[in-house]
Amino acid sequence: MATINSNFLKLKAGYLFPEIARRVKAFSEENPDKAARIIRCGIGDVTEPLPAAVRAAMHEAIDEMGSRETFKGYGPEQGYEFLRQAIVDNEFAGLGISADEVFISDGSKCDTGNILDIFGKGNVIAITDPVYPVYVDTNVMAGNTGDADEKGAYGGLVYLPCTAENGFVADLPKEKVDLVYLCFPNNPTGAVATREQLEAWVKYAKENDTIIFFDAAYQAFVQDASIPKSIFEIEGAKDVAIEFRSFSKNGGFTGVRCAYVVIPKTVSGKDDQGNRIPLHQLWSRRHSTKFNGASYPVQKGAAAVFSEQGKAEVKALIEHYMGNAKLLVQAAKDAGLKVFGGENAPYVWVGCPAGLGSWDMFDKMLAEAQVVVTPGAGFGAAGEGWFRISAFNSRANVEEVCKRLAALLA
Amino acid sequence: MATINSNFLKLKAGYLFPEIARRVKAFSEENPDKAARIIRCGIGDVTEPLPAAVRAAMHEAIDEMGSRETFKGYGPEQGYEFLRQAIVDNEFAGLGISADEVFISDGSKCDTGNILDIFGKGNVIAITDPVYPVYVDTNVMAGNTGDADEKGAYGGLVYLPCTAENGFVADLPKEKVDLVYLCFPNNPTGAVATREQLEAWVKYAKENDTIIFFDAAYQAFVQDASIPKSIFEIEGAKDVAIEFRSFSKNGGFTGVRCAYVVIPKTVSGKDDQGNRIPLHQLWSRRHSTKFNGASYPVQKGAAAVFSEQGKAEVKALIEHYMGNAKLLVQAAKDAGLKVFGGENAPYVWVGCPAGLGSWDMFDKMLAEAQVVVTPGAGFGAAGEGWFRISAFNSRANVEEVCKRLAALLA
């Protein structure tokens, strides 16, 4: 009989967001009169229309598909040159990244999970806590962890706690680690790392031969000009870091699907003979063999994000969501809660009222205010006692959430 | 220092199709006068326009993205209900498959590769030879094989030779295997399995507790009504088989990207305690954690394949390509070559002229006739001495290929 990957059985309950969806569905069915009042600030999903520049480019691409002269079949697995070059020109100008170091995909969730395919066993892996659950869960699936304890922490991982004390930016590990996941602006806390903090990380990585997985999915929300948007703004990062980027949150592509990972040719790991092998070569092979390119109309749409019109529309989207974040920060402060984030990120990270755990607060917000938030504990043990409010919503909904929060905690 | 997955280093040279692309590029650069004459019948990529019904549905979906009332963000990871249900109603009617056993993805290459994530180590894996290279390469990457020998055969895999003697339908394994990949209509040989042959496979799987990976990406090309299009037409298959399907070759989605895998809830493997665990549960978790749903406009386009207009357009596409296949079969026969396939599949499998190996014939066709074919040896050791001609082309190109083949071998 075929053996299954028993590591999957170590995973705790459902993935966070399906669990939230399940609770919201159950509440709606039990309270049909209140179902229509529900406002979703849970999953970090954009709500505003896809930019007109993107739609126009996608329409055009679909029209091209209508004649055999301009029809596009299989594209390059690594992505079309027009998109790879546009990314380099617009996002990494002057940072020494070349277009063939950019790999286009259908999503950062896929990329951050699949990247483990190219790594071996026995690596010491550090993960900030709280954190985007995909990093942990994919390591569990890959057999890089032991079992979970009662708080949901897995044996074998090095957890780097992010707390109010360190401003939700993890301290450098005391031990030597081989891989570390960093996400700035952070999901879920909204924290950002300063240039000095990132320099310290790159220095640590160089000294310890560590590879940094830098998840910059929310870089477009950085308002403070002194905060780096890319790890490659840091001297030496091209030797130790790869960076994940997405069109989901800036271009509103959560339903359209496009992302990319930047793998400089200078980052390497060692094979079982101790030889240094460039990660670029491994990921290129992985991408060619297990992926068949992102959808052509989607790639055309992504490229339009970098047109003049696209840039203006993305800027307006960011301003809209950051306007929401500002209102939510103020409302949570006014309600007497501790508040982090929301200044350079679309997430507001809020302390639960005294005596309430994360899931208690989730249930209370749902039952009494019909507002869906994300329980901090769902992002890791160190998230207990906090919850995340997403700023991805209409202004009217956010204003309503602010009112309900005030009423709930009055 | 981080260890890399050293299994990647066992992989032979490039993936087949990039290697073909490399040789074509080199030829074009060395012979600029002949570059324009090149006709590509190598990679199995569709060439005709995307059906108008699909384009209309995609345009509509993009327009929906333009207003916040109808905007779609993250969809269900497993795919939208409208598409899962349309698939069941149109492709599996009466076969007892339910919509929640269908998982939508962005491509069969991804699905057939990623499926290994949910399996453990130590499985005995059987692969027909010749075969779609992704099955083998992804097993190499996953560490399920030893090194390759000089013919490219990997240690640890059970190869099931497909030859002219068995009509390119593999005999049942003599030993007990845990997983077996079957692809019908076959890529690359174009062979199909009869109902009796598939019944024998399902019986073998039941007796040996084997899981069948049934790749039916080319099912739409079956012309003979007695040939099953789905493994689930065979009694008992729902206990032992999963099936991969794609919109690439029927709907012309190679550049649009949409596929699916059907995993009946009744198929299971054993965990390391010997408990039976349904594959459905494992894949659902994998899909939720490492994938974020296929693009919404793409899923709307896929659903349109099942509209009345979509069906009529797909039928015309299939007739077009199968008309090409008929011409290619005749031309190869007229040239005095052995010919298989091309009757229920868009691939024609042709014996090389005496004394020529697969890559010799590839190079000869490119250099002397400027026709790109696929060398049989690229699909496995048993493919040596054969080459594949793809029927995916315009009629004019196919007629020209027939002429050039006649001239080349006159």
Side-chain angles (χ1 to χ4, degrees):
Chain A
M1 186 178 9
T3 62
I4 60 106
N5 178 350
S6 292
N7 294 307
F8 273 63
L9 307 179
K10 296 175 190 167
L11 291 164
K12 288 285 154 186
Y15 174 70
L16 173 61
F17 296 109
E19 173 61 19
I20 290 176
R22 195 191 61 73
R23 293 196 188 203
V24 173
K25 189 169 177 232
F27 175 83
S28 302
E29 286 169 2
E30 285 159 25
N31 303 276
D33 55 316
K34 292 180 181 162
R37 281 194 91 227
I38 291 175
I39 300 177
R40 289 159 206 273
C41 302
I43 187 166
D45 193 2
V46 296
T47 57
E48 302 308 298
L50 193 67
V54 172
R55 285 181 279 125
M58 291 183 74
H59 279 308
E60 203 175 303
I62 289 166
D63 288 339
E64 285 179 53
M65 291 296 212
S67 88
R68 88 176 308 283
E69 288 66 37
T70 51
F71 178 80
K72 298 282 185 304
Y74 291 122
E77 286 101 345
Q78 290 83 354
Y80 279 98
E81 183 69 16
F82 66 76
L83 180 55
R84 301 171 94 186
Q85 193 61 53
I87 287 168
V88 166
D89 293 345
N90 287 279
E91 298 284 346
F92 299 96
L95 299 181
I97 300 293
S98 64
D100 66 353
E101 292 174 320
V102 176
F103 294 85
I104 310 299
S105 80
D106 68 319
S108 270
K109 195 181 183 186
C110 314
D111 286 338
T112 54
N114 291 333
I115 195 73
L116 292 176
D117 278 8
I118 65 169
F119 289 93
K121 298 298 164 196
N123 287 311
V124 178
I125 299 166
I127 291 183
T128 56
D129 176 14
V131 79
Y132 180 48
V134 168
Y135 309 156
V136 175
D137 288 1
T138 55
N139 272 290
V140 175
M141 291 175 173
N144 293 338
T145 74
D147 287 325
D149 65 18
E150 69 288 350
K151 285 185 179 167
Y154 289 90
L157 293 179
V158 175
Y159 286 95
L160 306 175
C162 301
T163 61
E165 287 67 43
N166 61 24
F168 294 97
V169 176
D171 298 327
L172 297 176
K174 304 217 178 344
E175 61 273 76
K176 185 172 154 52
V177 306
D178 299 308
L179 302 175
V180 61
Y181 292 77
L182 297 180
C183 173
F184 293 111
N186 190 258
N187 175 11
T189 69
V192 287
T194 62
R195 177 172 296 276
E196 293 67 33
Q197 286 169 322
L198 292 180
E199 282 170 350
W201 272 105
V202 170
K203 182 165 178 281
Y204 169 89
K206 290 209 148 216
E207 287 170 1
N208 292 278
D209 226 337
T210 307
I211 293 170
I212 296 172
F213 292 164
F214 194 78
D215 185 345
Y218 297 94
Q219 54 79 28
F221 295 87
V222 171
Q223 306 293 303
D224 179 341
S226 76
I227 300 291
K229 294 185 165 195
S230 167
I231 190 72
F232 301 121
E233 294 178 40
I234 307 300
E235 178 80 26
K238 275 193 293 175
D239 297 327
V240 293
I242 69 176
E243 182 163 308
F244 299 97
R245 290 269 188 124
S246 171
F247 291 94
S248 283
K249 307 301 163 80
N250 56 349
F253 271 52
T254 54
V256 175
R257 314 303 310 137
C258 199
Y260 55 99
V261 52
V262 180
I263 306 190
K265 291 181 188 153
T266 36
V267 186
S268 60
K270 68 162 191 262
D271 71 10
D272 52 17
Q273 307 296 315
N275 304 306
R276 278 197 178 269
I277 309 289
L279 300 188
H280 185 278
Q281 162 194 333
L282 298 168
W283 186 248
S284 187
R285 191 58 151 87
R286 196 268 172 212
H287 220 53
S288 297
T289 306
K290 295 176 78 169
F291 184 65
N292 228 337
S295 177
Y296 173 70
V298 169
Q299 291 192 60
K300 288 298 274 191
V305 163
F306 301 116
S307 65
E308 285 315 305
Q309 186 193 345
K311 284 179 192 171
E313 291 185 270
V314 167
K315 185 165 178 282
L317 281 172
I318 301 288
E319 283 170 1
H320 166 76
Y321 291 128
M322 290 310 292
N324 289 347
K326 195 170 183 179
L327 293 174
L328 290 165
V329 165
Q330 195 56 50
K333 281 185 180 167
D334 290 348
L337 302 175
K338 283 174 292 184
V339 185
F340 278 85
E343 295 177 351
N344 293 289
Y347 295 128
V348 184
W349 186 243
V350 187
C352 298
L356 287 187
S358 287
W359 280 104
D360 297 334
M361 187 60 182
F362 171 88
D363 288 335
K364 183 182 171 75
M365 293 278 284
L366 178 59
E368 298 175 27
Q370 287 81 60
V371 173
V372 182
V373 296
T374 315
F379 297 103
E384 181 53 84
W386 297 82
F387 64 99
R388 186 188 80 176
I389 312 181
S390 161
F392 292 118
N393 224 316
S394 66
R395 185 58 47 90
N397 275 351
V398 165
E399 287 168 349
E400 177 66 18
V401 167
C402 292
K403 272 187 215 161
R404 292 191 199 171
L405 193 66
L408 182 72
L409 300 177
Chain B
M1 187 180 4
T3 63
I4 60 105
N5 179 350
S6 292
N7 295 306
F8 274 63
L9 307 180
K10 296 176 190 168
L11 291 164
K12 288 284 155 186
Y15 175 70
L16 172 61
F17 296 108
E19 172 61 20
I20 290 175
R22 195 191 61 74
R23 292 196 189 203
V24 173
K25 189 168 176 233
F27 175 83
S28 302
E29 286 169 2
E30 286 159 26
N31 303 276
D33 54 316
K34 291 179 181 164
R37 279 194 91 227
I38 292 175
I39 300 177
R40 291 159 205 272
C41 303
I43 188 166
D45 194 1
V46 296
T47 57
E48 301 309 298
L50 193 66
V54 172
R55 285 181 279 125
M58 291 183 75
H59 279 307
E60 203 175 303
I62 289 165
D63 288 338
E64 285 179 54
M65 292 297 212
S67 88
R68 85 177 312 280
E69 287 66 37
T70 52
F71 179 80
K72 298 284 184 303
Y74 291 122
E77 286 102 345
Q78 290 82 356
Y80 278 99
E81 182 70 16
F82 66 76
L83 179 55
R84 300 170 93 185
Q85 193 62 53
I87 287 168
V88 166
D89 293 346
N90 287 280
E91 297 285 343
F92 300 96
L95 299 181
I97 300 293
S98 64
D100 66 352
E101 293 174 320
V102 176
F103 294 85
I104 310 300
S105 80
D106 68 318
S108 269
K109 193 180 183 188
C110 313
D111 285 339
T112 54
N114 291 334
I115 195 74
L116 292 175
D117 278 6
I118 66 169
F119 288 93
K121 300 298 165 196
N123 287 311
V124 179
I125 298 166
I127 290 183
T128 56
D129 176 15
V131 79
Y132 179 49
V134 168
Y135 309 156
V136 175
D137 288 359
T138 54
N139 272 289
V140 175
M141 290 174 174
N144 293 337
T145 74
D147 288 324
D149 65 18
E150 70 287 351
K151 285 185 176 165
Y154 288 90
L157 293 179
V158 175
Y159 285 95
L160 305 175
C162 300
T163 61
E165 288 67 42
N166 62 22
F168 293 98
V169 176
D171 300 326
L172 296 175
K174 303 215 177 351
E175 61 273 76
K176 185 171 155 48
V177 306
D178 299 309
L179 302 175
V180 61
Y181 293 77
L182 297 180
C183 172
F184 293 113
N186 190 258
N187 175 11
T189 69
V192 288
T194 63
R195 178 171 295 276
E196 293 66 35
Q197 286 170 322
L198 292 180
E199 283 170 350
W201 272 105
V202 169
K203 183 165 178 283
Y204 168 89
K206 290 207 149 220
E207 287 171 0
N208 292 278
D209 226 336
T210 307
I211 293 169
I212 297 172
F213 292 163
F214 194 79
D215 184 344
Y218 297 94
Q219 54 79 27
F221 296 87
V222 171
Q223 306 293 303
D224 178 343
S226 76
I227 300 292
K229 294 186 166 195
S230 167
I231 190 72
F232 300 121
E233 294 179 39
I234 307 299
E235 177 80 25
K238 275 193 293 176
D239 297 327
V240 293
I242 69 176
E243 182 163 309
F244 300 95
R245 291 268 188 123
S246 170
F247 291 94
S248 283
K249 307 301 163 81
N250 56 350
F253 271 52
T254 54
V256 175
R257 314 303 310 138
C258 199
Y260 56 99
V261 51
V262 180
I263 306 190
K265 290 180 189 153
T266 37
V267 186
S268 61
K270 68 160 191 265
D271 70 12
D272 53 17
Q273 307 296 312
N275 304 306
R276 278 198 178 270
I277 309 290
L279 300 188
H280 186 278
Q281 163 194 332
L282 297 168
W283 186 249
S284 188
R285 191 57 152 89
R286 197 266 171 214
H287 221 52
S288 297
T289 306
K290 295 176 77 169
F291 184 65
N292 228 339
S295 176
Y296 173 71
V298 169
Q299 291 191 61
K300 288 298 274 190
V305 163
F306 300 116
S307 66
E308 285 314 305
Q309 186 193 343
K311 284 179 193 172
E313 292 185 87
V314 167
K315 185 164 176 284
L317 281 172
I318 301 288
E319 283 170 1
H320 167 75
Y321 291 128
M322 290 309 293
N324 288 348
K326 195 170 182 177
L327 293 174
L328 291 165
V329 165
Q330 194 57 50
K333 281 184 180 168
D334 290 348
L337 302 175
K338 283 173 292 185
V339 185
F340 278 85
E343 294 178 351
N344 293 289
Y347 295 128
V348 184
W349 186 243
V350 186
C352 298
L356 287 187
S358 288
W359 281 105
D360 298 333
M361 187 61 181
F362 171 88
D363 288 335
K364 183 182 172 74
M365 292 280 284
L366 178 59
E368 298 175 29
Q370 287 81 59
V371 173
V372 182
V373 296
T374 316
F379 297 102
E384 182 51 85
W386 297 82
F387 65 98
R388 186 188 80 174
I389 312 181
S390 161
F392 292 118
N393 225 316
S394 66
R395 185 57 48 88
N397 275 351
V398 165
E399 287 168 349
E400 177 66 20
V401 168
C402 292
K403 272 188 215 159
R404 294 191 199 170
L405 193 65
L408 182 72
L409 299 176

PDB file of all heavy atoms in Angstrom, chain B residues 193-209:
ATOM      1  N   ALA B 193      -5.780   3.104 -24.363  1.00  0.00           N
ATOM      2  CA  ALA B 193      -6.025   1.815 -23.707  1.00  0.00           C
ATOM      3  C   ALA B 193      -7.478   1.439 -23.907  1.00  0.00           C
ATOM      4  O   ALA B 193      -8.368   2.293 -23.790  1.00  0.00           O
ATOM      5  CB  ALA B 193      -5.698   1.914 -22.224  1.00  0.00           C
ATOM      6  N   THR B 194      -7.733   0.186 -24.198  1.00  0.00           N
ATOM      7  CA  THR B 194      -9.112  -0.291 -24.344  1.00  0.00           C
ATOM      8  C   THR B 194      -9.749  -0.426 -22.962  1.00  0.00           C
ATOM      9  O   THR B 194      -9.062  -0.419 -21.931  1.00  0.00           O
ATOM     10  CB  THR B 194      -9.137  -1.670 -25.009  1.00  0.00           C
ATOM     11  OG1 THR B 194      -8.459  -2.595 -24.146  1.00  0.00           O
ATOM     12  CG2 THR B 194      -8.448  -1.643 -26.370  1.00  0.00           C
ATOM     13  N   ARG B 195     -11.049  -0.584 -22.959  1.00  0.00           N
ATOM     14  CA  ARG B 195     -11.760  -0.807 -21.699  1.00  0.00           C
ATOM     15  C   ARG B 195     -11.195  -2.025 -20.979  1.00  0.00           C
ATOM     16  O   ARG B 195     -10.960  -1.996 -19.767  1.00  0.00           O
ATOM     17  CB  ARG B 195     -13.258  -0.989 -21.979  1.00  0.00           C
ATOM     18  CG  ARG B 195     -14.103  -1.279 -20.743  1.00  0.00           C
ATOM     19  CD  ARG B 195     -15.589  -1.236 -21.072  1.00  0.00           C
ATOM     20  NE  ARG B 195     -16.013   0.096 -21.469  1.00  0.00           N
ATOM     21  CZ  ARG B 195     -16.350   1.064 -20.606  1.00  0.00           C
ATOM     22  NH1 ARG B 195     -16.319   0.835 -19.299  1.00  0.00           N
ATOM     23  NH2 ARG B 195     -16.715   2.244 -21.033  1.00  0.00           N
ATOM     24  N   GLU B 196     -10.931  -3.097 -21.715  1.00  0.00           N
ATOM     25  CA  GLU B 196     -10.421  -4.330 -21.100  1.00  0.00           C
ATOM     26  C   GLU B 196      -9.044  -4.073 -20.472  1.00  0.00           C
ATOM     27  O   GLU B 196      -8.739  -4.574 -19.387  1.00  0.00           O
ATOM     28  CB  GLU B 196     -10.316  -5.454 -22.144  1.00  0.00           C
ATOM     29  CG  GLU B 196     -11.657  -5.942 -22.688  1.00  0.00           C
ATOM     30  CD  GLU B 196     -12.405  -4.884 -23.517  1.00  0.00           C
ATOM     31  OE1 GLU B 196     -11.745  -4.088 -24.233  1.00  0.00           O
ATOM     32  OE2 GLU B 196     -13.654  -4.829 -23.422  1.00  0.00           O
ATOM     33  N   GLN B 197      -8.217  -3.333 -21.156  1.00  0.00           N
ATOM     34  CA  GLN B 197      -6.885  -3.043 -20.602  1.00  0.00           C
ATOM     35  C   GLN B 197      -6.986  -2.212 -19.324  1.00  0.00           C
ATOM     36  O   GLN B 197      -6.284  -2.475 -18.342  1.00  0.00           O
ATOM     37  CB  GLN B 197      -6.026  -2.321 -21.659  1.00  0.00           C
ATOM     38  CG  GLN B 197      -5.551  -3.270 -22.762  1.00  0.00           C
ATOM     39  CD  GLN B 197      -4.916  -2.540 -23.947  1.00  0.00           C
ATOM     40  OE1 GLN B 197      -5.362  -1.470 -24.353  1.00  0.00           O
ATOM     41  NE2 GLN B 197      -3.877  -3.141 -24.512  1.00  0.00           N
ATOM     42  N   LEU B 198      -7.892  -1.228 -19.318  1.00  0.00           N
ATOM     43  CA  LEU B 198      -8.047  -0.411 -18.104  1.00  0.00           C
ATOM     44  C   LEU B 198      -8.671  -1.232 -16.975  1.00  0.00           C
ATOM     45  O   LEU B 198      -8.322  -1.057 -15.799  1.00  0.00           O
ATOM     46  CB  LEU B 198      -8.873   0.836 -18.399  1.00  0.00           C
ATOM     47  CG  LEU B 198      -8.184   1.855 -19.310  1.00  0.00           C
ATOM     48  CD1 LEU B 198      -9.099   3.065 -19.537  1.00  0.00           C
ATOM     49  CD2 LEU B 198      -6.842   2.325 -18.725  1.00  0.00           C
ATOM     50  N   GLU B 199      -9.588  -2.128 -17.343  1.00  0.00           N
ATOM     51  CA  GLU B 199     -10.159  -3.005 -16.309  1.00  0.00           C
ATOM     52  C   GLU B 199      -9.065  -3.859 -15.665  1.00  0.00           C
ATOM     53  O   GLU B 199      -9.056  -4.079 -14.452  1.00  0.00           O
ATOM     54  CB  GLU B 199     -11.248  -3.907 -16.920  1.00  0.00           C
ATOM     55  CG  GLU B 199     -12.558  -3.157 -17.139  1.00  0.00           C
ATOM     56  CD  GLU B 199     -13.591  -3.934 -17.957  1.00  0.00           C
ATOM     57  OE1 GLU B 199     -13.239  -5.000 -18.532  1.00  0.00           O
ATOM     58  OE2 GLU B 199     -14.743  -3.464 -18.025  1.00  0.00           O
ATOM     59  N   ALA B 200      -8.133  -4.325 -16.468  1.00  0.00           N
ATOM     60  CA  ALA B 200      -7.035  -5.129 -15.934  1.00  0.00           C
ATOM     61  C   ALA B 200      -6.162  -4.291 -14.992  1.00  0.00           C
ATOM     62  O   ALA B 200      -5.708  -4.779 -13.953  1.00  0.00           O
ATOM     63  CB  ALA B 200      -6.192  -5.695 -17.074  1.00  0.00           C
ATOM     64  N   TRP B 201      -5.973  -3.023 -15.351  1.00  0.00           N
ATOM     65  CA  TRP B 201      -5.191  -2.140 -14.477  1.00  0.00           C
ATOM     66  C   TRP B 201      -5.903  -1.914 -13.136  1.00  0.00           C
ATOM     67  O   TRP B 201      -5.279  -1.931 -12.075  1.00  0.00           O
ATOM     68  CB  TRP B 201      -4.913  -0.796 -15.164  1.00  0.00           C
ATOM     69  CG  TRP B 201      -3.665  -0.827 -15.985  1.00  0.00           C
ATOM     70  CD1 TRP B 201      -3.581  -0.883 -17.344  1.00  0.00           C
ATOM     71  CD2 TRP B 201      -2.319  -0.833 -15.495  1.00  0.00           C
ATOM     72  NE1 TRP B 201      -2.261  -0.918 -17.736  1.00  0.00           N
ATOM     73  CE2 TRP B 201      -1.463  -0.887 -16.620  1.00  0.00           C
ATOM     74  CE3 TRP B 201      -1.758  -0.798 -14.224  1.00  0.00           C
ATOM     75  CZ2 TRP B 201      -0.076  -0.903 -16.510  1.00  0.00           C
ATOM     76  CZ3 TRP B 201      -0.367  -0.813 -14.105  1.00  0.00           C
ATOM     77  CH2 TRP B 201       0.455  -0.867 -15.244  1.00  0.00           C
ATOM     78  N   VAL B 202      -7.193  -1.661 -13.188  1.00  0.00           N
ATOM     79  CA  VAL B 202      -7.933  -1.421 -11.943  1.00  0.00           C
ATOM     80  C   VAL B 202      -7.936  -2.695 -11.083  1.00  0.00           C
ATOM     81  O   VAL B 202      -7.764  -2.629  -9.855  1.00  0.00           O
ATOM     82  CB  VAL B 202      -9.370  -0.929 -12.244  1.00  0.00           C
ATOM     83  CG1 VAL B 202     -10.228  -0.927 -10.991  1.00  0.00           C
ATOM     84  CG2 VAL B 202      -9.314   0.477 -12.857  1.00  0.00           C
ATOM     85  N   LYS B 203      -8.088  -3.842 -11.730  1.00  0.00           N
ATOM     86  CA  LYS B 203      -8.047  -5.116 -10.992  1.00  0.00           C
ATOM     87  C   LYS B 203      -6.671  -5.292 -10.340  1.00  0.00           C
ATOM     88  O   LYS B 203      -6.576  -5.621  -9.150  1.00  0.00           O
ATOM     89  CB  LYS B 203      -8.338  -6.259 -11.981  1.00  0.00           C
ATOM     90  CG  LYS B 203      -8.400  -7.646 -11.365  1.00  0.00           C
ATOM     91  CD  LYS B 203      -9.064  -8.621 -12.365  1.00  0.00           C
ATOM     92  CE  LYS B 203      -9.105 -10.052 -11.828  1.00  0.00           C
ATOM     93  NZ  LYS B 203      -7.792 -10.732 -11.913  1.00  0.00           N
ATOM     94  N   TYR B 204      -5.633  -5.023 -11.102  1.00  0.00           N
ATOM     95  CA  TYR B 204      -4.273  -5.119 -10.543  1.00  0.00           C
ATOM     96  C   TYR B 204      -4.138  -4.179  -9.336  1.00  0.00           C
ATOM     97  O   TYR B 204      -3.598  -4.547  -8.285  1.00  0.00           O
ATOM     98  CB  TYR B 204      -3.230  -4.743 -11.612  1.00  0.00           C
ATOM     99  CG  TYR B 204      -1.836  -4.546 -11.045  1.00  0.00           C
ATOM    100  CD1 TYR B 204      -0.949  -5.619 -10.929  1.00  0.00           C
ATOM    101  CD2 TYR B 204      -1.426  -3.295 -10.580  1.00  0.00           C
ATOM    102  CE1 TYR B 204       0.315  -5.444 -10.367  1.00  0.00           C
ATOM    103  CE2 TYR B 204      -0.163  -3.120 -10.019  1.00  0.00           C
ATOM    104  CZ  TYR B 204       0.699  -4.190  -9.917  1.00  0.00           C
ATOM    105  OH  TYR B 204       1.940  -4.013  -9.345  1.00  0.00           O
ATOM    106  N   ALA B 205      -4.643  -2.930  -9.497  1.00  0.00           N
ATOM    107  CA  ALA B 205      -4.507  -1.923  -8.427  1.00  0.00           C
ATOM    108  C   ALA B 205      -5.251  -2.375  -7.174  1.00  0.00           C
ATOM    109  O   ALA B 205      -4.764  -2.202  -6.051  1.00  0.00           O
ATOM    110  CB  ALA B 205      -5.024  -0.576  -8.910  1.00  0.00           C
ATOM    111  N   LYS B 206      -6.424  -2.952  -7.362  1.00  0.00           N
ATOM    112  CA  LYS B 206      -7.200  -3.412  -6.199  1.00  0.00           C
ATOM    113  C   LYS B 206      -6.475  -4.560  -5.509  1.00  0.00           C
ATOM    114  O   LYS B 206      -6.401  -4.630  -4.277  1.00  0.00           O
ATOM    115  CB  LYS B 206      -8.591  -3.852  -6.639  1.00  0.00           C
ATOM    116  CG  LYS B 206      -9.448  -2.680  -7.069  1.00  0.00           C
ATOM    117  CD  LYS B 206     -10.933  -2.976  -6.872  1.00  0.00           C
ATOM    118  CE  LYS B 206     -11.668  -1.696  -6.562  1.00  0.00           C
ATOM    119  NZ  LYS B 206     -12.689  -1.803  -5.543  1.00  0.00           N
ATOM    120  N   GLU B 207      -5.934  -5.466  -6.292  1.00  0.00           N
ATOM    121  CA  GLU B 207      -5.263  -6.643  -5.712  1.00  0.00           C
ATOM    122  C   GLU B 207      -3.965  -6.262  -5.012  1.00  0.00           C
ATOM    123  O   GLU B 207      -3.552  -6.913  -4.059  1.00  0.00           O
ATOM    124  CB  GLU B 207      -4.980  -7.672  -6.811  1.00  0.00           C
ATOM    125  CG  GLU B 207      -6.243  -8.394  -7.273  1.00  0.00           C
ATOM    126  CD  GLU B 207      -6.025  -9.258  -8.517  1.00  0.00           C
ATOM    127  OE1 GLU B 207      -4.884  -9.298  -9.032  1.00  0.00           O
ATOM    128  OE2 GLU B 207      -7.012  -9.865  -8.977  1.00  0.00           O
ATOM    129  N   ASN B 208      -3.320  -5.207  -5.495  1.00  0.00           N
ATOM    130  CA  ASN B 208      -2.004  -4.860  -4.963  1.00  0.00           C
ATOM    131  C   ASN B 208      -1.998  -3.570  -4.142  1.00  0.00           C
ATOM    132  O   ASN B 208      -0.951  -3.103  -3.733  1.00  0.00           O
ATOM    133  CB  ASN B 208      -1.000  -4.727  -6.114  1.00  0.00           C
ATOM    134  CG  ASN B 208      -0.727  -6.059  -6.781  1.00  0.00           C
ATOM    135  OD1 ASN B 208       0.067  -6.848  -6.297  1.00  0.00           O
ATOM    136  ND2 ASN B 208      -1.443  -6.327  -7.878  1.00  0.00           N
ATOM    137  N   ASP B 209      -3.216  -3.030  -3.904  1.00  0.00           N
ATOM    138  CA  ASP B 209      -3.327  -1.783  -3.148  1.00  0.00           C
ATOM    139  C   ASP B 209      -2.466  -0.686  -3.788  1.00  0.00           C
ATOM    140  O   ASP B 209      -1.730   0.046  -3.108  1.00  0.00           O
ATOM    141  CB  ASP B 209      -2.906  -2.013  -1.691  1.00  0.00           C
ATOM    142  CG  ASP B 209      -3.898  -1.386  -0.727  1.00  0.00           C
ATOM    143  OD1 ASP B 209      -4.592  -0.448  -1.139  1.00  0.00           O
ATOM    144  OD2 ASP B 209      -3.976  -1.852   0.416  1.00  0.00           O
TER     145      ASP B 209
END
